[in-house]
PDB file of all heavy atoms in Angstrom:
ATOM      1  N   TRP A  13       3.314  -6.269  -9.206  1.00  0.00           N
ATOM      2  CA  TRP A  13       4.614  -6.929  -9.430  1.00  0.00           C
ATOM      3  C   TRP A  13       5.514  -6.768  -8.221  1.00  0.00           C
ATOM      4  O   TRP A  13       5.566  -5.710  -7.620  1.00  0.00           O
ATOM      5  CB  TRP A  13       5.358  -6.344 -10.650  1.00  0.00           C
ATOM      6  CG  TRP A  13       6.429  -7.215 -11.153  1.00  0.00           C
ATOM      7  CD1 TRP A  13       6.283  -8.389 -11.869  1.00  0.00           C
ATOM      8  CD2 TRP A  13       7.850  -7.079 -10.984  1.00  0.00           C
ATOM      9  NE1 TRP A  13       7.503  -8.958 -12.145  1.00  0.00           N
ATOM     10  CE2 TRP A  13       8.485  -8.146 -11.623  1.00  0.00           C
ATOM     11  CE3 TRP A  13       8.611  -6.092 -10.357  1.00  0.00           C
ATOM     12  CZ2 TRP A  13       9.871  -8.295 -11.647  1.00  0.00           C
ATOM     13  CZ3 TRP A  13       9.994  -6.260 -10.370  1.00  0.00           C
ATOM     14  CH2 TRP A  13      10.593  -7.337 -11.012  1.00  0.00           C
ATOM     15  N   ALA A  14       6.170  -7.834  -7.847  1.00  0.00           N
ATOM     16  CA  ALA A  14       7.148  -7.806  -6.770  1.00  0.00           C
ATOM     17  C   ALA A  14       8.451  -8.336  -7.333  1.00  0.00           C
ATOM     18  O   ALA A  14       8.461  -9.236  -8.155  1.00  0.00           O
ATOM     19  CB  ALA A  14       6.680  -8.632  -5.582  1.00  0.00           C
ATOM     20  N   PRO A  15       9.600  -7.768  -6.866  1.00  0.00           N
ATOM     21  CA  PRO A  15      10.867  -8.228  -7.439  1.00  0.00           C
ATOM     22  C   PRO A  15      11.121  -9.683  -7.043  1.00  0.00           C
ATOM     23  O   PRO A  15      10.579 -10.188  -6.032  1.00  0.00           O
ATOM     24  CB  PRO A  15      11.891  -7.273  -6.785  1.00  0.00           C
ATOM     25  CG  PRO A  15      11.217  -6.759  -5.563  1.00  0.00           C
ATOM     26  CD  PRO A  15       9.744  -6.751  -5.840  1.00  0.00           C
ATOM     27  N   PRO A  16      11.977 -10.383  -7.807  1.00  0.00           N
ATOM     28  CA  PRO A  16      12.125 -11.828  -7.561  1.00  0.00           C
ATOM     29  C   PRO A  16      12.922 -12.215  -6.320  1.00  0.00           C
ATOM     30  O   PRO A  16      12.761 -13.332  -5.825  1.00  0.00           O
ATOM     31  CB  PRO A  16      12.860 -12.314  -8.825  1.00  0.00           C
ATOM     32  CG  PRO A  16      13.388 -11.106  -9.516  1.00  0.00           C
ATOM     33  CD  PRO A  16      12.602  -9.924  -9.058  1.00  0.00           C
ATOM     34  N   THR A  17      13.692 -11.302  -5.760  1.00  0.00           N
ATOM     35  CA  THR A  17      14.562 -11.675  -4.633  1.00  0.00           C
ATOM     36  C   THR A  17      13.764 -11.794  -3.322  1.00  0.00           C
ATOM     37  O   THR A  17      13.236 -10.808  -2.801  1.00  0.00           O
ATOM     38  CB  THR A  17      15.671 -10.657  -4.437  1.00  0.00           C
ATOM     39  OG1 THR A  17      16.367 -10.498  -5.656  1.00  0.00           O
ATOM     40  CG2 THR A  17      16.643 -11.125  -3.349  1.00  0.00           C
ATOM     41  N   VAL A  18      13.670 -13.047  -2.822  1.00  0.00           N
ATOM     42  CA  VAL A  18      12.927 -13.315  -1.565  1.00  0.00           C
ATOM     43  C   VAL A  18      13.890 -13.179  -0.405  1.00  0.00           C
ATOM     44  O   VAL A  18      15.014 -13.721  -0.451  1.00  0.00           O
ATOM     45  CB  VAL A  18      12.340 -14.730  -1.596  1.00  0.00           C
ATOM     46  CG1 VAL A  18      11.672 -15.089  -0.251  1.00  0.00           C
ATOM     47  CG2 VAL A  18      11.350 -14.870  -2.744  1.00  0.00           C
ATOM     48  N   VAL A  19      13.496 -12.471   0.673  1.00  0.00           N
ATOM     49  CA  VAL A  19      14.278 -12.354   1.894  1.00  0.00           C
ATOM     50  C   VAL A  19      13.444 -12.961   3.020  1.00  0.00           C
ATOM     51  O   VAL A  19      12.395 -12.414   3.379  1.00  0.00           O
ATOM     52  CB  VAL A  19      14.651 -10.898   2.176  1.00  0.00           C
ATOM     53  CG1 VAL A  19      15.451 -10.783   3.465  1.00  0.00           C
ATOM     54  CG2 VAL A  19      15.391 -10.292   0.987  1.00  0.00           C
ATOM     55  N   GLN A  23      16.825 -15.552   7.015  1.00  0.00           N
ATOM     56  CA  GLN A  23      17.975 -14.802   6.496  1.00  0.00           C
ATOM     57  C   GLN A  23      18.251 -13.585   7.347  1.00  0.00           C
ATOM     58  O   GLN A  23      19.397 -13.272   7.705  1.00  0.00           O
ATOM     59  CB  GLN A  23      17.710 -14.355   5.039  1.00  0.00           C
ATOM     60  CG  GLN A  23      17.919 -15.437   4.021  1.00  0.00           C
ATOM     61  CD  GLN A  23      17.415 -14.954   2.653  1.00  0.00           C
ATOM     62  OE1 GLN A  23      16.239 -15.097   2.353  1.00  0.00           O
ATOM     63  NE2 GLN A  23      18.294 -14.392   1.870  1.00  0.00           N
ATOM     64  N   GLU A  43       8.155 -13.636   5.025  1.00  0.00           N
ATOM     65  CA  GLU A  43       9.186 -13.252   4.013  1.00  0.00           C
ATOM     66  C   GLU A  43       8.715 -12.017   3.320  1.00  0.00           C
ATOM     67  O   GLU A  43       7.549 -11.610   3.419  1.00  0.00           O
ATOM     68  CB  GLU A  43       9.434 -14.412   3.044  1.00  0.00           C
ATOM     69  CG  GLU A  43       8.217 -14.765   2.181  1.00  0.00           C
ATOM     70  CD  GLU A  43       8.509 -15.906   1.237  1.00  0.00           C
ATOM     71  OE1 GLU A  43       8.995 -16.967   1.696  1.00  0.00           O
ATOM     72  OE2 GLU A  43       8.239 -15.762   0.020  1.00  0.00           O
ATOM     73  N   ARG A  44       9.656 -11.406   2.591  1.00  0.00           N
ATOM     74  CA  ARG A  44       9.324 -10.234   1.786  1.00  0.00           C
ATOM     75  C   ARG A  44      10.242 -10.256   0.559  1.00  0.00           C
ATOM     76  O   ARG A  44      11.204 -11.009   0.524  1.00  0.00           O
ATOM     77  CB  ARG A  44       9.486  -8.907   2.615  1.00  0.00           C
ATOM     78  CG  ARG A  44      10.885  -8.498   2.981  1.00  0.00           C
ATOM     79  CD  ARG A  44      11.555  -9.312   4.026  1.00  0.00           C
ATOM     80  NE  ARG A  44      11.034  -9.216   5.372  1.00  0.00           N
ATOM     81  CZ  ARG A  44      10.947 -10.209   6.259  1.00  0.00           C
ATOM     82  NH1 ARG A  44      11.397 -11.441   5.897  1.00  0.00           N
ATOM     83  NH2 ARG A  44      10.489 -10.081   7.459  1.00  0.00           N
ATOM     84  N   ARG A  45       9.924  -9.449  -0.446  1.00  0.00           N
ATOM     85  CA  ARG A  45      10.780  -9.313  -1.629  1.00  0.00           C
ATOM     86  C   ARG A  45      11.513  -7.988  -1.538  1.00  0.00           C
ATOM     87  O   ARG A  45      10.898  -6.975  -1.181  1.00  0.00           O
ATOM     88  CB  ARG A  45       9.926  -9.311  -2.886  1.00  0.00           C
ATOM     89  CG  ARG A  45       8.977 -10.496  -3.053  1.00  0.00           C
ATOM     90  CD  ARG A  45       9.768 -11.774  -3.327  1.00  0.00           C
ATOM     91  NE  ARG A  45       8.834 -12.850  -3.590  1.00  0.00           N
ATOM     92  CZ  ARG A  45       8.415 -13.150  -4.832  1.00  0.00           C
ATOM     93  NH1 ARG A  45       8.805 -12.471  -5.864  1.00  0.00           N
ATOM     94  NH2 ARG A  45       7.576 -14.169  -5.001  1.00  0.00           N
ATOM     95  N   TRP A  46      12.773  -7.999  -1.914  1.00  0.00           N
ATOM     96  CA  TRP A  46      13.537  -6.742  -1.974  1.00  0.00           C
ATOM     97  C   TRP A  46      14.125  -6.583  -3.375  1.00  0.00           C
ATOM     98  O   TRP A  46      14.474  -7.567  -4.045  1.00  0.00           O
ATOM     99  CB  TRP A  46      14.668  -6.751  -0.959  1.00  0.00           C
ATOM    100  CG  TRP A  46      14.237  -6.476   0.452  1.00  0.00           C
ATOM    101  CD1 TRP A  46      12.990  -6.159   0.894  1.00  0.00           C
ATOM    102  CD2 TRP A  46      15.061  -6.531   1.632  1.00  0.00           C
ATOM    103  NE1 TRP A  46      12.970  -5.985   2.254  1.00  0.00           N
ATOM    104  CE2 TRP A  46      14.206  -6.227   2.729  1.00  0.00           C
ATOM    105  CE3 TRP A  46      16.421  -6.799   1.868  1.00  0.00           C
ATOM    106  CZ2 TRP A  46      14.708  -6.184   4.056  1.00  0.00           C
ATOM    107  CZ3 TRP A  46      16.884  -6.752   3.180  1.00  0.00           C
ATOM    108  CH2 TRP A  46      16.028  -6.422   4.241  1.00  0.00           C
ATOM    109  N   VAL A  47      14.279  -5.296  -3.795  1.00  0.00           N
ATOM    110  CA  VAL A  47      14.928  -5.063  -5.072  1.00  0.00           C
ATOM    111  C   VAL A  47      16.408  -5.473  -5.015  1.00  0.00           C
ATOM    112  O   VAL A  47      17.013  -5.488  -3.960  1.00  0.00           O
ATOM    113  CB  VAL A  47      14.861  -3.544  -5.457  1.00  0.00           C
ATOM    114  CG1 VAL A  47      13.437  -3.129  -5.776  1.00  0.00           C
ATOM    115  CG2 VAL A  47      15.474  -2.659  -4.372  1.00  0.00           C
ATOM    116  N   GLY A  48      16.952  -5.843  -6.164  1.00  0.00           N
ATOM    117  CA  GLY A  48      18.364  -6.171  -6.266  1.00  0.00           C
ATOM    118  C   GLY A  48      19.166  -4.938  -6.614  1.00  0.00           C
ATOM    119  O   GLY A  48      18.582  -3.849  -6.851  1.00  0.00           O
ATOM    120  N   GLN A  51      18.141  -1.942  -9.078  1.00  0.00           N
ATOM    121  CA  GLN A  51      16.667  -1.910  -9.315  1.00  0.00           C
ATOM    122  C   GLN A  51      16.076  -0.743  -8.532  1.00  0.00           C
ATOM    123  O   GLN A  51      16.549  -0.416  -7.440  1.00  0.00           O
ATOM    124  CB  GLN A  51      16.045  -3.204  -8.850  1.00  0.00           C
ATOM    125  CG  GLN A  51      15.723  -4.159  -9.972  1.00  0.00           C
ATOM    126  CD  GLN A  51      15.020  -5.414  -9.437  1.00  0.00           C
ATOM    127  OE1 GLN A  51      15.154  -5.767  -8.267  1.00  0.00           O
ATOM    128  NE2 GLN A  51      14.289  -6.051 -10.313  1.00  0.00           N
ATOM    129  N   ASP A  55      11.295   0.824 -11.712  1.00  0.00           N
ATOM    130  CA  ASP A  55      11.212  -0.474 -12.321  1.00  0.00           C
ATOM    131  C   ASP A  55      10.000  -1.235 -11.847  1.00  0.00           C
ATOM    132  O   ASP A  55       9.297  -1.908 -12.621  1.00  0.00           O
ATOM    133  CB  ASP A  55      12.488  -1.305 -11.994  1.00  0.00           C
ATOM    134  CG  ASP A  55      13.762  -0.653 -12.538  1.00  0.00           C
ATOM    135  OD1 ASP A  55      13.667   0.069 -13.543  1.00  0.00           O
ATOM    136  OD2 ASP A  55      14.818  -0.877 -11.928  1.00  0.00           O
ATOM    137  N   LEU A  56       9.716  -1.147 -10.534  1.00  0.00           N
ATOM    138  CA  LEU A  56       8.545  -1.825  -9.963  1.00  0.00           C
ATOM    139  C   LEU A  56       7.242  -1.229 -10.564  1.00  0.00           C
ATOM    140  O   LEU A  56       6.301  -1.919 -10.892  1.00  0.00           O
ATOM    141  CB  LEU A  56       8.513  -1.664  -8.437  1.00  0.00           C
ATOM    142  CG  LEU A  56       9.760  -2.160  -7.660  1.00  0.00           C
ATOM    143  CD1 LEU A  56       9.636  -1.809  -6.201  1.00  0.00           C
ATOM    144  CD2 LEU A  56       9.954  -3.638  -7.861  1.00  0.00           C
ATOM    145  N   GLU A  59       6.604  -2.349 -14.252  1.00  0.00           N
ATOM    146  CA  GLU A  59       6.072  -3.735 -14.339  1.00  0.00           C
ATOM    147  C   GLU A  59       4.633  -3.807 -13.851  1.00  0.00           C
ATOM    148  O   GLU A  59       3.794  -4.447 -14.519  1.00  0.00           O
ATOM    149  CB  GLU A  59       6.948  -4.689 -13.537  1.00  0.00           C
ATOM    150  CG  GLU A  59       8.321  -4.937 -14.144  1.00  0.00           C
ATOM    151  CD  GLU A  59       8.245  -5.509 -15.537  1.00  0.00           C
ATOM    152  OE1 GLU A  59       7.301  -6.261 -15.881  1.00  0.00           O
ATOM    153  OE2 GLU A  59       9.145  -5.188 -16.344  1.00  0.00           O
ATOM    154  N   ASP A 159       9.386  -4.701  -0.844  1.00  0.00           N
ATOM    155  CA  ASP A 159       9.327  -3.843  -2.026  1.00  0.00           C
ATOM    156  C   ASP A 159       8.277  -4.390  -2.994  1.00  0.00           C
ATOM    157  O   ASP A 159       8.071  -5.624  -3.067  1.00  0.00           O
ATOM    158  CB  ASP A 159      10.672  -3.798  -2.753  1.00  0.00           C
ATOM    159  CG  ASP A 159      11.783  -3.244  -1.849  1.00  0.00           C
ATOM    160  OD1 ASP A 159      11.486  -2.481  -0.929  1.00  0.00           O
ATOM    161  OD2 ASP A 159      12.954  -3.592  -2.107  1.00  0.00           O
ATOM    162  N   GLY A 160       7.659  -3.510  -3.761  1.00  0.00           N
ATOM    163  CA  GLY A 160       6.704  -3.986  -4.752  1.00  0.00           C
ATOM    164  C   GLY A 160       6.001  -2.831  -5.440  1.00  0.00           C
ATOM    165  O   GLY A 160       6.214  -1.651  -5.118  1.00  0.00           O
ATOM    166  N   ARG A 282       4.581 -10.748   1.781  1.00  0.00           N
ATOM    167  CA  ARG A 282       4.842  -9.426   1.192  1.00  0.00           C
ATOM    168  C   ARG A 282       5.576  -8.488   2.121  1.00  0.00           C
ATOM    169  O   ARG A 282       6.342  -7.646   1.673  1.00  0.00           O
ATOM    170  CB  ARG A 282       3.513  -8.750   0.811  1.00  0.00           C
ATOM    171  CG  ARG A 282       2.683  -9.501  -0.183  1.00  0.00           C
ATOM    172  CD  ARG A 282       3.304  -9.496  -1.519  1.00  0.00           C
ATOM    173  NE  ARG A 282       2.422  -9.958  -2.563  1.00  0.00           N
ATOM    174  CZ  ARG A 282       2.835 -10.386  -3.743  1.00  0.00           C
ATOM    175  NH1 ARG A 282       4.133 -10.403  -4.006  1.00  0.00           N
ATOM    176  NH2 ARG A 282       1.992 -10.772  -4.647  1.00  0.00           N
ATOM    177  N   SER A 336       2.038 -11.719 -10.459  1.00  0.00           N
ATOM    178  CA  SER A 336       2.650 -10.521  -9.900  1.00  0.00           C
ATOM    179  C   SER A 336       4.136 -10.684  -9.649  1.00  0.00           C
ATOM    180  O   SER A 336       4.755  -9.783  -9.104  1.00  0.00           O
ATOM    181  CB  SER A 336       1.932 -10.145  -8.610  1.00  0.00           C
ATOM    182  OG  SER A 336       2.091 -11.169  -7.673  1.00  0.00           O
ATOM    183  N   SER A 337       4.724 -11.788 -10.018  1.00  0.00           N
ATOM    184  CA  SER A 337       6.151 -11.893  -9.816  1.00  0.00           C
ATOM    185  C   SER A 337       6.705 -12.901 -10.815  1.00  0.00           C
ATOM    186  O   SER A 337       6.056 -13.841 -11.211  1.00  0.00           O
ATOM    187  CB  SER A 337       6.494 -12.391  -8.420  1.00  0.00           C
ATOM    188  OG  SER A 337       7.855 -12.659  -8.315  1.00  0.00           O
ATOM    189  N   SER A 338       7.972 -12.677 -11.215  1.00  0.00           N
ATOM    190  CA  SER A 338       8.565 -13.528 -12.171  1.00  0.00           C
ATOM    191  C   SER A 338       9.249 -14.749 -11.536  1.00  0.00           C
ATOM    192  O   SER A 338       9.673 -15.653 -12.215  1.00  0.00           O
ATOM    193  CB  SER A 338       9.604 -12.775 -13.017  1.00  0.00           C
ATOM    194  OG  SER A 338      10.507 -12.164 -12.153  1.00  0.00           O
ATOM    195  N   ALA A 339       9.356 -14.757 -10.195  1.00  0.00           N
ATOM    196  CA  ALA A 339      10.178 -15.820  -9.541  1.00  0.00           C
ATOM    197  C   ALA A 339       9.335 -16.961  -9.010  1.00  0.00           C
ATOM    198  O   ALA A 339       9.654 -18.100  -9.227  1.00  0.00           O
ATOM    199  CB  ALA A 339      10.981 -15.216  -8.397  1.00  0.00           C
ATOM    200  N   THR A 340       8.247 -16.664  -8.278  1.00  0.00           N
ATOM    201  CA  THR A 340       7.482 -17.726  -7.672  1.00  0.00           C
ATOM    202  C   THR A 340       6.002 -17.503  -7.954  1.00  0.00           C
ATOM    203  O   THR A 340       5.623 -16.428  -8.425  1.00  0.00           O
ATOM    204  CB  THR A 340       7.679 -17.747  -6.148  1.00  0.00           C
ATOM    205  OG1 THR A 340       7.276 -16.482  -5.612  1.00  0.00           O
ATOM    206  CG2 THR A 340       9.102 -18.065  -5.749  1.00  0.00           C
TER     207      THR A 340
END
Side-chain angles (χ1 to χ4, degrees):
W13 196 76
T17 307
V18 175
V19 179
Q23 281 171 274
E43 64 181 52
R44 69 290 290 144
R45 306 290 186 91
W46 283 355
V47 291
Q51 260 183 334
D55 298 333
L56 305 174
E59 290 301 329
D159 299 335
R282 300 291 191 197
S336 62
S337 173
S338 54
T340 58

